[in-house]
Amino acid sequence: MCLGSFADASQGLSKEIEQLEGLFTVETQKLKQITDHFVNELEKGLSVKGGSIPMNPTWVMSYPTGYETGTFLALDMGGTNLRVCQITLTDQKSEFDIIQSKYRMPEELKTGQADELWEYIADCLMQFIETHHGDVSKMDTLPLGFTFSYPATQNYIDEGVLQRWTKGFDIAGVEGENVVPMFEAALAAKGVPIKLTALINDTTGTLIASAYTDTKMKIGCIFGTGCNAAYMEDCGSIPKLAHLDVSPDTPMAINCEWGAFDNEHLVLPRTQYDVTIDNESPRPGQQAFEKMIAGLYLGELFRLVMVDLHDNHSAHIFSGQDISKLRRPYTLDSSFLSAIEEDPFENLSETRDLFHTKLGIEANPAELELVRRTAELIGTRAARLSACGVAAICKKKGYTSCHVGADGSVFNKYPHFKARGAQALREILDWPEKTDPKEEDPIEILAAEDGSGVGAALIAALTLKRVKEGNMHGILHPENFH
Ligand code: BGC
């Protein structure tokens, strides 16, 4: 198809495109307003009274030096996979060896029974140890860092009370409970030779793993199925930890759980589609920020827009076609939007094929144009809103120049996410335009080191080290640290 006819065809839906642009575009002023509110909310979360962002202390009380050593296991209970690693932090500064295995996280476990989840995890760990160590009866117990990437209050580093499930998990009997005894009971029942040293969040792991190799790293972020960040705070700025009675400059990594930002719906520019996502999620009213940004929801947002434009607008896109596949909730994930945004062809032929194979829909040129623009709008909004969180932490800490370590499927795979985020940071923080495109931004969001593997091992190492030095803050089971 030639460009001219394609452009003509797209005229038909220009009104709809314009409306969507109005709904999904977040201008600089709005970004700044969101960021300022975010700074206040971060502070509120650290106060005794608290706020909607949990700001959970993690009991990680130093950055790594690069000279940590030892062999550790790490378990990552992510959304899609279970990953088990053995990490050896070597004598060489900032270096490590890693062996790892991935196990599928069966979909039915995510909404099944708690016991089945823990048993499955214990089985995977046992399998890993048997493969790599042989006879378990003859070996010493190994220290484990467990990456449990859900909001958990941690009165201790070896304890975690799940505040609520996020990312589509919904297993009864775990919310409000300490997950560690459940996990340990499953290990004991199967005789798995492991002692839990630290329960960690993926963001804290990302922060520590990234700081291991780059001392400019001050924030760890995940932009994946879920979305969150961790950074190092001073205990003197954490009123809810005043009882610790430590010197004000003692560091404490904070797992922000910023997905909960603006649960009150005061500043985020929510559309009717965001409201639907929330209402139909297992936890309405929770994770307002995350639901506009995270990979789990991007495809669903797109789907809701498409269904709405088919059913309710004068345009009636995909008119006369069977859209039953498109009507199925969560049938599209963020990789579908990535593929649309990556379609290199002017006539969007890859997008047309995608609609045909995945949804059984024949999209005409005007519809394809609308599809592409919708994906761009949703992806751009996600990146720009994400930048508000990063800017807020930097503003709160007074960082004018630093590195931010980021991981997750959206950050690593979604086209233009990084550039769009960087552009938004520039607008929020009023940086002048670059004179040389190769110039570093004052605050750079970079690909992180492996947080739930190396980061978990480092946190286990840092914890063992500080216990040895007599710092027992946040240690529930000292016997696990010898
Ligand atoms: C969880 C966080 C996690 C983030 C990224 C969110 O849904 O609540 O604990 O860090 O996802 O995985």
Side-chain angles (χ1 to χ4, degrees):
M1 172 175 302
C2 77
L3 218 173
S5 68
F6 187 73
D8 290 346
S10 71
Q11 297 279 310
L13 292 170
S14 57
K15 201 174 99 251
E16 280 67 26
I17 291 182
E18 231 170 76
Q19 274 169 357
L20 290 172
E21 284 172 346
L23 282 177
F24 283 95
T25 305
V26 194
E27 305 288 357
T28 310
Q29 261 329 96
K30 186 67 183 171
L31 293 178
K32 289 185 174 181
Q33 184 205 356
I34 294 169
T35 304
D36 289 342
H37 186 59
F38 218 129
V39 176
N40 292 335
E41 289 298 301
L42 294 173
E43 263 160 22
K44 235 199 240 169
L46 295 171
S47 71
V48 175
K49 189 158 166 273
S52 61
I53 307 186
M55 303 297 278
N56 292 329
T58 65
W59 305 99
V60 175
M61 300 181 74
S62 62
Y63 281 114
T65 58
Y67 293 103
E68 289 71 19
T69 53
T71 296
F72 304 88
L73 289 182
L75 163 70
D76 181 9
M77 185 189 139
T80 342
N81 289 313
L82 264 188
R83 186 168 66 124
V84 182
C85 316
Q86 177 171 305
I87 296 108
T88 304
L89 305 170
T90 64
D91 292 340
Q92 293 289 82
K93 184 171 191 282
S94 303
E95 295 210 353
F96 56 86
D97 294 326
I98 182 165
I99 46 176
Q100 57 176 322
S101 298
K102 276 192 180 164
Y103 305 86
R104 197 176 66 90
M105 183 72 154
E107 212 42 50
E108 57 279 12
L109 277 190
K110 296 184 191 169
T111 50
Q113 298 301 313
D115 289 357
E116 290 167 7
L117 172 77
W118 302 120
E119 258 177 51
Y120 181 75
I121 294 178
D123 282 338
C124 294
L125 280 166
M126 191 62 147
Q127 203 180 318
F128 181 88
I129 294 177
E130 281 172 350
T131 308
H132 297 289
H133 292 268
D135 188 353
V136 291
S137 62
K138 297 210 182 80
M139 60 181 283
D140 289 339
T141 54
L142 290 164
L144 172 91
F146 177 11
T147 306
F148 182 74
S149 303
Y150 306 88
T153 325
Q154 292 189 267
N155 291 316
Y156 306 94
I157 194 160
D158 44 352
E159 179 209 79
V161 177
L162 177 68
Q163 289 158 318
R164 65 192 167 276
W165 286 116
T166 54
K167 298 183 279 201
F169 272 72
D170 192 8
I171 302 171
V174 190
E175 281 177 329
E177 302 293 328
N178 181 5
V179 297
V180 173
M182 303 185 198
F183 171 64
E184 285 181 331
L187 294 183
K190 295 195 188 287
V192 188
I194 281 176
K195 52 189 176 188
L196 180 87
T197 306
L199 189 78
I200 74 161
N201 186 263
D202 49 2
T203 54
T204 320
T206 298
L207 169 68
I208 297 302
S210 301
Y212 186 55
T213 54
D214 175 359
T215 51
K216 277 192 81 183
M217 288 284 184
K218 300 293 178 211
I219 300 174
C221 288
I222 302 289
F223 303 112
T225 308
C227 166
N228 187 18
Y231 74 101
M232 202 62 92
E233 190 50 274
D234 304 317
C235 285
S237 303
I238 314 176
K240 64 185 177 186
L241 288 187
H243 61 275
L244 285 188
D245 216 12
V246 290
S247 78
D249 57 357
T250 307
M252 175 70 80
I254 298 291
N255 163 20
C256 300
E257 288 298 335
W258 76 16
F261 170 65
D262 204 30
N263 280 348
E264 304 78 7
H265 307 142
L266 295 177
V267 285
L268 289 174
R270 296 206 316 158
T271 65
Q272 67 183 93
Y273 309 109
D274 299 298
V275 173
T276 305
I277 292 231
D278 188 32
N279 288 343
E280 289 173 9
S281 72
R283 299 285 178 282
Q286 306 285 356
Q287 303 294 97
F289 187 56
E290 176 163 272
K291 284 171 176 158
M292 298 175 80
I293 289 175
L296 179 59
Y297 306 102
L298 298 182
E300 181 64 0
L301 271 171
F302 174 86
R303 191 191 70 80
L304 290 171
V305 173
M306 293 297 130
V307 171
D308 182 39
L309 290 182
H310 173 274
D311 290 351
N312 302 328
H313 287 254
S314 52
H316 288 304
I317 60 167
F318 316 133
S319 167
Q321 300 199 49
D322 172 9
I323 68 153
S324 51
K325 284 196 178 147
L326 184 67
R327 287 202 191 279
R328 227 172 284 149
Y330 288 90
T331 199
L332 305 177
D333 63 18
S334 56
S335 69
F336 188 84
L337 294 204
S338 298
I340 296 172
E341 286 223 52
E342 261 160 8
D343 185 345
F345 299 112
E346 181 69 38
N347 66 359
L348 300 174
S349 57
E350 287 191 352
T351 308
R352 189 187 59 218
D353 294 350
L354 204 61
F355 264 71
H356 171 78
T357 46
K358 175 98 188 161
L359 299 168
I361 292 176
E362 307 307 324
N364 68 33
E367 290 161 352
L368 288 173
E369 180 83 346
L370 174 104
V371 159
R372 167 75 154 233
R373 192 69 191 116
T374 307
E376 276 168 11
L377 287 167
I378 291 173
T380 303
R381 188 186 72 163
R384 287 172 72 78
L385 291 178
S386 302
C388 296
V390 174
I393 295 180
C394 291
K395 277 193 153 186
K396 178 180 186 311
K397 293 297 296 173
Y399 295 142
T400 50
S401 146
C402 68
H403 288 168
V404 176
D407 208 343
S409 51
V410 173
F411 183 77
N412 291 322
K413 296 196 192 132
Y414 197 96
H416 319 300
F417 188 84
K418 292 172 207 169
R420 290 166 177 168
Q423 172 58 30
L425 269 186
R426 173 170 302 278
E427 292 170 35
I428 298 167
L429 299 170
D430 290 317
W431 297 332
E433 283 308 317
K434 280 186 194 181
T435 44
D436 174 358
K438 281 195 241 97
E439 201 180 302
E440 258 211 2
D441 285 339
I443 297 167
E444 286 265 356
I445 308 182
L446 303 168
E449 293 293 336
D450 168 16
S452 57
V454 179
L458 279 165
I459 291 173
L462 290 172
T463 311
L464 290 174
K465 178 162 167 255
R466 78 168 163 90
V467 167
K468 220 177 192 176
E469 289 165 0
N471 176 349
M472 302 302 286
H473 288 299
I475 307 293
L476 180 61
H477 291 294
E479 67 277 13
N480 275 355
F481 292 81
H482 301 303

